[in-house]
Amino acid sequence: ASLREVKGMFDRQLIFIGPLPPVVNGQSIATEYLMERLQSDGLTLIVFDTNTAGARFLTRVFNGLMRTFKVIFNVLKRKNDVAYISVNANLGMLLTALIALCAKFRGHLVILHHHTRSHIVPGNWRLALLANAAGDDAVHISICSSMSKSLQASSASVVRVLNFSNVGVVDDSIRNLDLKAPLSREPLTLGIFGNLTNEKGLSRAIDAFVFAKEKGLANKLLLAGPVVGDEENLRAKEALREFGASIELMGPLYGNNKLEFFKKVDVFLFPSLYPNETQGIVNLEALAAGLPVLAFAVCCTPEDLQGAACKTVAVDSDFSEATCDFLASLPSHAREAARERYDSLRDLNSAEYDLLKNLIISGKSRKD
């Protein structure tokens, strides 16, 4: 639709509520991406940034409360609009529930976007509170179909669901990287990227590399991102001391340095068991770069990582054994297969976005 047509169709205002950078995490990146895409399609948004800046806990709590009160004031002074709300994690869901309740009270169509999974279990009181506050007319967005099904199974008040993957946030420069030569049986370079914590899989990645190196399947491990935690820093230093140049600690990477990481890696590992993990944007970036990916079967990863270049394993699996099996079984065309999987996910996401945009434009609840 043209800009004029969009404005003509969309009679309500879109109150857009969610965390935005410069505090950077998967949720803020995804929220910013959706905001900018809707704006580029001609929709006018009333934007409220709920990110809580501040180094100290009390400062973050104070900032969060002040921003929430500002959002509530603006939600209450309007009527019968559309309120898109990016759902906070953990106890922050209490503030999300309060905003949703106020939006429902004023007749807004409430759209709740879930970015974490720890609350998506039957009997979770935070999900029950949020779903009841928003009402069964609210629309719940999750990252994949299995996550949507889990939402509905976890709360009878979650009736209307939409899927919307984070694949759109992947930078085109990664997709435009030249594919390397077909994989050979030579020892490969493995890589992980992100906050290097044990929950995110730092120790599991090192163990998997050591095991694969002993079997002649890998010769180098690249660790990209900040090492977070005393235990993690000790493990990284010990690994560097023991294996020398075979393990490279690259630190946080951005821009061209991030592209260089993907150029150097042959196979991407994602051994994360982080409780809020849903999809792993770095998995999608790896696929875009043409890298085979191995990950635990958490939330949306089994839906994303399909085909000859991908594999997910049960969360109680031995990741080192799984890594060796994966490396030994990769076909020579794995890089092309990874890129093809990424392109298919982008195509699917385009259709998902159209459904979401049309819902916003229509502004319709079931009562309408």
Side-chain angles (χ1 to χ4, degrees):
S2 69
L3 177 60
R4 182 174 298 176
E5 288 171 338
V6 167
K7 286 187 174 179
M9 288 186 290
F10 188 46
D11 296 325
R12 301 183 180 186
Q13 294 291 322
L14 173 57
I15 309 169
F16 191 91
I17 305 160
L20 299 169
V23 178
V24 176
N25 51 44
Q27 183 177 4
S28 66
I29 293 170
T31 302
E32 182 181 51
Y33 164 76
L34 179 58
M35 177 190 73
E36 292 177 347
R37 187 163 182 181
L38 291 170
Q39 289 173 329
S40 71
D41 277 350
L43 276 69
T44 301
L45 281 57
I46 305 171
V47 178
F48 296 97
D49 180 10
T50 59
N51 231 331
T52 54
R56 297 182 179 181
F57 173 75
L58 289 178
T59 303
R60 294 197 301 273
V61 170
F62 178 78
N63 288 340
L65 290 173
M66 290 302 100
R67 292 190 178 205
T68 300
F69 292 148
K70 180 180 179 181
V71 168
I72 290 173
F73 174 78
N74 282 277
V75 165
L76 289 174
K77 78 176 185 179
R78 309 191 65 85
K79 190 175 182 180
N80 298 327
D81 284 331
V82 178
Y84 166 91
I85 310 169
S86 183
V87 177
N88 290 325
N90 305 319
L91 291 178
M93 287 181 66
L94 300 177
L95 299 180
T96 304
L98 182 57
I99 295 170
L101 180 65
C102 293
K104 175 189 174 186
F105 172 72
R106 292 297 288 167
H108 303 306
L109 170 61
V110 179
I111 301 175
L112 296 169
H113 198 157
H114 298 261
H115 292 272
T116 62
R117 67 181 174 93
S118 63
H119 62 279
I120 305 178
V121 289
N124 183 277
W125 67 271
R126 288 174 287 129
L127 176 60
L129 181 67
L130 175 64
N132 288 332
D136 62 8
D137 200 46
V139 179
H140 294 257
I141 303 174
S142 59
I143 293 169
C144 64
S145 61
S146 60
M147 189 174 170
S148 290
K149 291 175 183 176
S150 294
L151 263 173
Q152 291 180 308
S154 299
S155 173
S157 296
V158 177
V159 178
R160 307 175 69 190
V161 293
L162 281 178
N163 309 323
F164 189 68
S165 167
N166 290 324
V167 68
V169 309
V170 176
D171 195 295
D172 288 340
S173 62
I174 300 176
R175 170 59 179 80
N176 293 333
L177 289 172
D178 293 332
L179 289 177
K180 293 193 287 186
L183 283 176
S184 67
R185 290 296 125 212
E186 297 296 320
L188 301 171
T189 296
L190 312 182
I192 65 171
F193 193 113
N195 289 325
L196 301 179
T197 66
N198 286 334
E199 274 190 327
K200 286 280 191 176
L202 172 62
S203 290
R204 286 184 287 272
I206 293 173
D207 290 342
F209 166 70
V210 171
F211 197 46
K213 182 175 172 59
E214 291 173 352
K215 292 183 175 292
L217 295 169
N219 61 1
K220 195 171 182 67
L221 173 65
L222 301 183
L223 305 171
V227 180
V228 182
D230 295 337
E231 183 180 340
E232 287 84 350
N233 272 286
L234 180 61
R235 182 67 202 279
K237 289 177 181 177
E238 290 175 346
L240 291 172
R241 195 162 45 240
E242 183 174 357
F243 295 99
S246 295
I247 296 180
E248 184 177 347
L249 187 60
M250 305 181 74
L253 301 178
Y254 306 96
N256 289 333
N257 291 330
K258 186 174 182 178
L259 295 179
E260 288 301 315
F261 166 82
F262 285 118
K263 288 180 184 178
K264 292 177 181 178
V265 172
D266 294 311
V267 174
F268 190 78
L269 304 180
F270 193 69
S272 175
L273 292 175
Y274 177 56
N276 280 332
E277 203 72 72
T278 53
Q279 182 172 41
I281 292 175
V282 287
N283 288 337
L284 306 173
E285 292 177 327
L287 292 178
L291 302 183
V293 181
L294 174 68
F296 281 122
V298 171
C299 201
C300 295
T301 53
E303 286 191 44
D304 288 339
L305 302 183
Q306 298 182 15
C310 309
K311 185 177 181 181
T312 57
V313 295
V315 297
D316 58 353
S317 299
D318 185 317
F319 197 79
S320 297
E321 289 279 4
T323 298
C324 290
D325 292 344
F326 184 60
L327 297 179
S329 63
L330 279 173
S332 60
H333 69 283
R335 288 175 175 137
E336 291 85 352
R339 179 69 61 79
E340 289 171 2
R341 180 58 186 161
Y342 169 78
D343 288 342
S344 68
L345 290 172
R346 281 298 294 258
D347 291 342
L348 176 62
N349 184 240
S350 180
E352 292 172 341
Y353 171 75
D354 287 341
L355 287 174
L356 174 56
K357 183 180 70 173
N358 290 337
L359 172 69
I360 292 171
I361 290 173
S362 69
K364 287 184 177 180
S365 66
R366 288 177 300 168
K367 298 171 185 176
D368 297 330

